[in-house]
Amino acid sequence: MNEPETMHKKINPARRHSYHRPKNISHSNKNIIGRTRHPLQAKRPPLRNEEKRGSSIPPIEKDIIRIIPFGGVEEVGKNMTAFEYGDDIIVVDAGIYFPGDETPGVDYVIPDTTYLEERKSKIRGLFITHAHLDHIGAIPYVQEKLGNPPIYARKLSAAFIQKRQSEFLHLPKLDMRIVEREEKIKVGSLTVSFFAVTHTIPEAMGLIIGTPHGNIIHSGDLKIDHKDGEPLSFEVEEFTKIGNENNLCLLTDSTNVDRPGFGFPEREVHENLRKIIKETKGRLIIGTFASLLERIIYIINTAEELGKKVVIDGRSMKVNIEIARELGLLKKGLKSIIPITEMENHPPENVIILATGAQGDAYAVLMRVANKQHKYIKINNHDTIILSSSIIPGNERGVQKLKDNLSRQGAKILHYAIADVHSSGHAYKDEAAWIIKMLNPKFFIPIHGYHYMLRVHKAIAESQGLSDKNIVIPDNGMIVEIDGQKQTISQLKKRAPAGIVMVDALGQGNVKDVVVRDRKALATDGMFVIVAVIDIKTGKVRKSPDIISRGFVYLKESQDLLNQTRLLVKKTTENAVGEMHPINFDYVKNSLRETIGKFLYQQTKKRPIILPVILEV
Ligand SMILES: [Zn+2]
């Protein structure tokens, strides 16, 4: 995906530090799970009837090209598609998806790769379109299962992949092959070449897979750079060149195709940001996604040019900028980036803070600033804050609270709805139509989007002259077959397994495993419910908090522990509430889980499941 936006869908950071896990399995053990073969690890969700494993799927026949999405359709995220011809399979992307409330305790969802594992001797390579996590995030989890095939990627994508891999110490070294733009790679009976596309991260690529029956184009995530709806000449040249080939099939990004017209071009976002950077009188704080690397690079280079100083805060932001720096994507000998501790040595109108957390994520920089809990950044009424992102569905309340708390402290806030300070990285309807018209494929498969988006994309393809019988709307695991001789497209009745595989600190499991894990934690360490009543006017905890526990310690005999815990609950709650108004309850609960969890573990060496209940009066 995708959407850098979705990349940052709010995950509850407390979950990773929560005390839900069985004793002796700490957060830092994440790295070694793959090796330890946790019993939960290898299990998969039950297969649908038609998804019987392995041999029930007939072997591929002569002149057939199989296309199988294992993720990225029926959803936005966990993109992965396989292309099979004769004895060869190539895989494009291996992404993750950030789960929502429906899967508590789960960090990521990755594609089900059973079909590929059963044919891993045929896999010739994993090709990467670009460095967003919904395209590369699953690599550490699937690469071994696929038999460690070579990974083909551009330099920046390779750097991001290696950086992520370095967090998984036990995994074997990747067979990374860096490719140049427009390089043509021969893999078995297929060829693959890369072409540049416009997205939100440098070196985003589409792929042209050459088969004896014509080209299959997989665009990756893309949009079209344009001026007032006229694609710029470099786009026209690129697409004209590719369009002149024999294009058998096109698979392309559906994320934004239900939005009318052309999207707002990033170039104009840059121009607007430049104007704001130049003209803002006080200190400027820019909150954005770390994955919007092109914009971040632009902001830093602009600051350098205008003689301003940039403070970078937030882990993902720092890591991404470091990679960009190493690869020379930022100007050489940069003087503008300064450590946060030196911020006070410069006049505020000369300082720009680049920060994470524009989605109201509980533990990201902006939320800590808003909650007055940031060590260095305190808001005053000369500050201007730009939220340079859209709001991911589901995060509206978090963002609202963020804006409330920041503006209450006097900051002026600019966001995408009142100024053009954000644009998405995915083609809108008219861009999608233009792409199909220029590439002129015989067959069309919409990908990267929920089912509805794929349907909308199909209608767009039909408006460009493709007929219904030449378009397949895929589901995850659907085996689409193009017959190169007969020039037809169809789908098999049998499907490849495409259940969701979840990843958490313990490795991989499925929903049931999560339940099992919680039950184990309950069985060994019990549960601990905290009920605190907050007076909304004063921010103070009323009365002594109530504590209910089961299976943890016998409370009647633990009065000291109980009293100390009550005091700590009161203090932690009041600290977390601070002067927040309105109160962000998720934040308060996370603080309680964290602090009380640590305290109870110190006192008892147990990690009960902690359930904070906050009531307001
Ligand atoms: Zn992307």
Side-chain angles (χ1 to χ4, degrees), residues 441-445 466-472 487-489:
K442 175 152 184 109
F443 302 115
F444 181 67
I445 303 175
L466 273 91
S467 66
D468 173 69
K469 68 175 190 342
N470 285 3
I471 302 171
V472 171
Q487 294 278 301
T488 53
I489 193 167

Side-chain angles (χ1 to χ4, degrees), residues 1-4 7 130-132 134-135 199-201 221 425-426:
M1 127 179 155
N2 129 4
E3 198 63 332
M7 294 311 322
H130 66 288
H132 284 151
D134 51 343
H135 296 259
H199 188 37
T200 56
I201 188 162
D221 286 352
H426 306 273

Side-chain angles (χ1 to χ4, degrees), residues 105-228:
V106 170
D107 288 346
Y108 311 125
V109 178
I110 62 171
D112 185 331
T113 49
T114 308
Y115 180 92
L116 293 171
E117 290 163 43
E118 289 167 350
R119 293 160 181 79
K120 68 179 164 194
S121 63
K122 295 176 75 175
I123 300 176
R124 306 287 167 242
L126 170 61
F127 290 78
I128 300 299
T129 58
H130 66 288
H132 284 151
L133 283 174
D134 51 343
H135 296 259
I136 64 166
I139 291 175
Y141 303 104
V142 303
Q143 187 64 2
E144 257 188 315
K145 296 192 286 183
L146 303 184
N148 288 307
I151 300 177
Y152 296 89
R154 294 294 306 278
K155 205 166 162 193
L156 180 75
S157 304
F160 271 91
I161 293 166
Q162 297 284 25
K163 173 79 197 162
R164 187 168 162 79
Q165 195 77 4
S166 68
E167 293 168 16
F168 298 77
L169 296 172
H170 65 291
L171 292 179
K173 222 171 153 271
L174 297 173
D175 179 1
M176 186 66 76
R177 318 257 174 112
I178 293 181
V179 294
E180 299 301 327
R181 182 176 161 167
E182 293 180 3
E183 187 175 335
K184 197 175 218 170
I185 297 146
K186 184 144 176 49
V187 271
S189 52
L190 303 168
T191 59
V192 183
S193 48
F194 285 66
F195 64 99
V197 295
T198 304
H199 188 37
T200 56
I201 188 162
E203 300 187 356
M205 308 305 286
L207 301 175
I208 303 168
I209 301 163
T211 79
H213 304 286
N215 290 340
I216 315 252
I217 300 170
H218 183 303
S219 74
D221 286 352
L222 83 168
K223 61 176 174 179
I224 298 299
D225 202 354
H226 66 97
K227 175 98 181 106
D228 304 324

Side-chain angles (χ1 to χ4, degrees), residues 41 46 53 132 137 196 229 240 317 320 325 369 373 405 432 480 497 526 604:
Q41 199 184 343
R53 297 257 187 104
H132 284 151
T240 305
M317 192 77 88
N320 291 5
R325 226 173 163 169
V369 173
Q373 291 182 332
N405 277 308
V480 180
T604 65

Side-chain angles (χ1 to χ4, degrees), residues 67-78:
I67 302 172
I68 313 170
F70 296 103
V73 300
E74 300 181 79
E75 66 206 348
V76 169
K78 88 168 166 57

Side-chain angles (χ1 to χ4, degrees), residues 449-484:
Y450 292 102
H451 185 78
Y452 163 74
M453 298 165 179
L454 307 186
R455 292 257 161 205
V456 172
H457 210 171
K458 180 188 181 199
I460 295 170
E462 285 171 338
S463 79
Q464 297 305 310
L466 273 91
S467 66
D468 173 69
K469 68 175 190 342
N470 285 3
I471 302 171
V472 171
I473 296 179
D475 288 332
N476 289 328
M478 184 187 282
I479 300 173
V480 180
E481 291 196 338
I482 294 175
D483 187 322

